Amino acid sequence: MAAKLILDDQSIDLNVIEGSEQERAIDITALRNTTKHITLDPGYGNTGSCKSSITFIDGEKGILRYRGYPIEELADNATFPEVMYLLIYGKLPNKEELGNFNHDMTYHSMIHEDMKRFFDGYPRDAHPMGVLASMVAALSTFYPENTPEDVDKNVIRLLAKMKTLAAFAYKKTMGQPVIYPQNHMTFEENFLNMMFAVPCEPYVIDPVITDALRLLLILHADHEQNCSTSTVRMVGSSQANLFISISAGIAALWGPLHGGANQRVIEMLTKIDADGGNFKKYVAMAKDKSSGFKLMGFGHRVYKNFDPRAKILKAASDKLLNKLGVSDPLLQIAKELEDIALKDSFFVDRKLYPNVDFYSGIIYRALNIPTRMFTVMFALGRLPGWIAQWMELRNEPGGRISRPRQVYTGENVRKFVPIAER
Ligand code: COA
């Protein structure tokens, strides 16, 4: 299969590559050598940056699969460590492999005591995403080795330690002593215990809560070449180490147009609630470009019919709140907002639907996770996806450093004028 590009009077044949789900891409790698042209695609809306065998998304049909497994099946049946293993090593683990993986992930979950002291240096109201990004970067100073064997160990270290760092970041904001990880607990139990136990009162594990956390972590685990994952790959392409590459991904995730949207959704719903539940006013504002206001948790670069993760979370939030006997006025506002927006031609024409961040916050609230920790929760879920993508890039034969081009629009050459003559 080939594509033909006619440029002035030149005809250029370009290869067409087909993926395993019949996605087609025009390979333009030779274009600059042949014609001196580059392609321009700000925001990379139509640019494939790599070939990948990790996650498949069909945005029109609302399909999301990790390594071929539909997200709905994983959400119903898998544990989070199984999904981590699947994403990173490419297959579901057998019993023994999962046992070893779980063992390693618990036995590496403490952080060096010297690192614990870093937490003392942050201001009390430091945003936990800033703390997490810098603490993950700091892991590279404790584990600086970067050979393939070291990388395998560092993968486990990072998977095991990130939940500890996240919980410690929260304890810092609360002014409470940190709670150390416990080897007999599952991933979710361990994290919740480190978050909510205090020396004078143990945390009581509730399976309803650990299962809701499991679901959230799985739904966030990977999403192919989004902003933070592309950042991880971009940094990793210079052969930077795992920790610093993931730290860059955490930084990218923090932005309100990406993972930071989950915090903004709850802030928006709270504001609407305080404003007497007048959601029509906010829909009108979102339609008025001059207002600078967007409906947070709406819209997606890839999903153009529905986000399968949002669909799962909407149903899960109803069930969870019922089970826990929690009534959250924000859930009602979210549903009414969704109803109105989905009937409004502004949103329909632009194919704007609720995304994963729209309902995840309602669940995090029901689990007592504070709003400023929401994006940290996203990062905790996304970690295995980032690692899998970083490993895929690293193991790719002939991998090249990421280095996009540009179309220069600045001044033409001019002569320097000394300061006395300006
Ligand atoms: N509220 C109101 N209008 C929105 C909107 C929102 N949440 N999201 C997109 N739009 C509008 C844009 O203004 C644009 O309108 P136009 O064609 O008249 O100019 C159109 O819909 C297309 O949006 P665009 O910004 O080009 O899409 P994108 O693919 O570049 O951006 C998002 C995707 C996710 C960044 C964007 O939808 C957004 O900012 N959403 C809110 C933040 C969010 O929830 N992020 C989490 C993503 S999982």
Side-chain angles (χ1 to χ4, degrees):
M1 219 179 310
K4 207 176 271 300
L5 176 70
I6 312 285
L7 207 58
D8 301 329
D9 51 1
Q10 208 182 351
S11 162
I12 302 142
D13 288 327
L14 296 167
N15 281 338
V16 173
I17 295 171
E18 192 169 277
S20 50
E21 290 286 345
Q22 291 75 53
E23 290 175 302
R24 289 183 182 175
I26 300 166
D27 180 353
I28 51 99
T29 43
L31 196 60
R32 192 163 199 277
N33 295 341
T34 330
T35 72
K36 304 288 175 229
H37 286 73
I38 60 165
T39 54
L40 181 64
D41 181 18
Y44 308 127
N46 202 38
T47 295
S49 61
C50 61
K51 293 184 203 161
S52 177
S53 59
I54 301 170
T55 289
F56 172 68
I57 299 177
D58 183 329
E60 297 299 325
K61 295 189 186 140
I63 292 175
L64 169 62
R65 294 182 205 138
Y66 300 159
R67 302 278 189 190
Y69 296 99
I71 191 66
E72 293 79 6
E73 285 184 34
L74 295 169
D76 278 350
N77 303 304
T79 62
F80 184 49
E82 276 180 296
V83 170
M84 289 187 200
Y85 191 102
L86 171 70
L87 285 169
I88 295 170
Y89 304 112
K91 69 176 198 84
L92 283 172
N94 62 29
K95 256 191 185 164
E96 191 190 343
E97 288 163 336
L98 185 62
N100 291 339
F101 184 63
N102 275 328
H103 173 274
D104 290 350
M105 267 210 309
T106 43
Y107 279 79
H108 285 278
S109 52
M110 282 177 69
I111 57 167
H112 198 289
E113 284 294 292
D114 287 348
M115 243 188 123
K116 209 182 82 185
R117 291 211 303 272
F118 294 179
F119 284 97
D120 298 337
Y122 294 105
R124 166 94 188 264
D125 60 353
H127 195 287
M129 279 299 275
V131 176
L132 188 68
S134 49
M135 290 306 268
V136 169
L139 283 173
S140 62
T141 63
F142 285 79
Y143 308 102
E145 308 82 8
N146 207 16
T147 67
E149 299 74 46
D150 296 317
V151 166
D152 288 344
K153 257 193 238 159
N154 287 345
V155 164
I156 295 291
R157 285 179 177 131
L158 184 52
L159 287 171
K161 292 180 200 306
M162 188 133 123
K163 61 181 178 312
T164 313
L165 293 173
F168 282 18
Y170 170 63
K171 285 298 196 194
K172 164 80 196 179
T173 63
M174 296 297 287
Q176 290 178 2
V178 298
I179 301 292
Y180 284 93
Q182 298 290 320
N183 284 348
H184 66 278
M185 290 184 174
T186 65
F187 187 95
E188 292 85 357
E189 290 169 355
N190 220 338
F191 174 69
L192 290 166
N193 188 60
M194 286 191 280
M195 284 279 292
F196 298 121
V198 279
C200 47
E201 200 174 319
Y203 176 71
V204 181
I205 305 284
D206 179 341
V208 172
I209 291 186
T210 50
D211 192 55
L213 181 55
R214 175 200 66 85
L215 177 71
L216 284 162
L217 292 168
I218 289 176
L219 292 182
H220 286 88
D222 195 46
H223 216 231
E224 52 118 303
Q225 308 313 316
N226 54 80
C227 176
S228 57
T229 303
S230 300
T231 303
V232 169
R233 277 184 176 263
M234 172 75 88
V235 176
S237 77
S238 74
Q239 295 183 359
N241 68 62
L242 175 72
F243 301 112
I244 211 76
S245 306
I246 300 293
S247 167
I250 295 171
L253 185 74
W254 192 1
L257 297 190
H258 191 11
N262 59 12
Q263 174 178 337
R264 298 296 178 97
V265 169
I266 291 299
E267 287 166 357
M268 174 186 79
L269 295 175
T270 308
K271 201 168 160 196
I272 298 176
D273 190 30
D275 204 3
N278 188 0
F279 35 85
K280 285 187 186 157
K281 171 176 155 192
Y282 289 84
V283 170
M285 266 164 66
K287 288 161 63 175
D288 172 10
K289 295 274 171 68
S290 68
S291 74
F293 175 80
K294 274 184 169 181
L295 273 194
M296 297 314 284
F298 262 74
H300 199 275
R301 175 62 64 80
V302 181
Y303 293 121
K304 296 300 171 199
N305 271 321
F306 69 96
D307 178 340
R309 304 164 302 169
K311 203 170 171 185
I312 295 172
L313 283 181
K314 184 180 180 183
S317 55
D318 264 335
K319 266 194 221 154
L320 179 77
L321 266 57
N322 269 341
K323 270 194 200 165
L324 295 176
V326 175
S327 130
D328 188 344
L330 299 195
L331 178 61
Q332 200 44 40
I333 292 179
K335 283 183 179 169
E336 292 185 52
L337 200 59
E338 180 183 350
D339 269 359
I340 289 212
L342 293 187
K343 283 182 201 132
D344 191 303
S345 61
F346 177 92
F347 294 89
V348 176
D349 294 350
R350 289 169 180 75
K351 301 191 172 185
L352 300 172
Y353 298 88
N355 57 50
V356 68
D357 297 314
F358 196 64
Y359 283 103
S360 62
I362 305 278
I363 302 188
Y364 290 134
R365 267 163 70 88
L367 306 187
N368 277 328
I369 309 271
T371 312
R372 275 161 49 106
M373 279 293 285
F374 287 4
T375 315
V376 169
M377 302 304 297
F378 191 151
L380 212 51
R382 182 56 52 87
L383 180 63
W386 286 332
I387 293 177
Q389 302 270 352
W390 187 89
M391 298 278 283
E392 187 176 66
L393 168 99
R394 191 183 167 97
N395 295 333
E396 196 178 73
R400 300 179 77 194
I401 189 167
S402 294
R403 205 308 186 180
R405 298 277 182 160
Q406 64 166 14
V407 175
Y408 176 68
T409 58
E411 299 286 347
N412 295 118
V413 66
R414 44 186 174 162
K415 205 168 162 34
F416 177 78
V417 182
I419 186 104
E421 295 170 30
R422 262 180 257 157

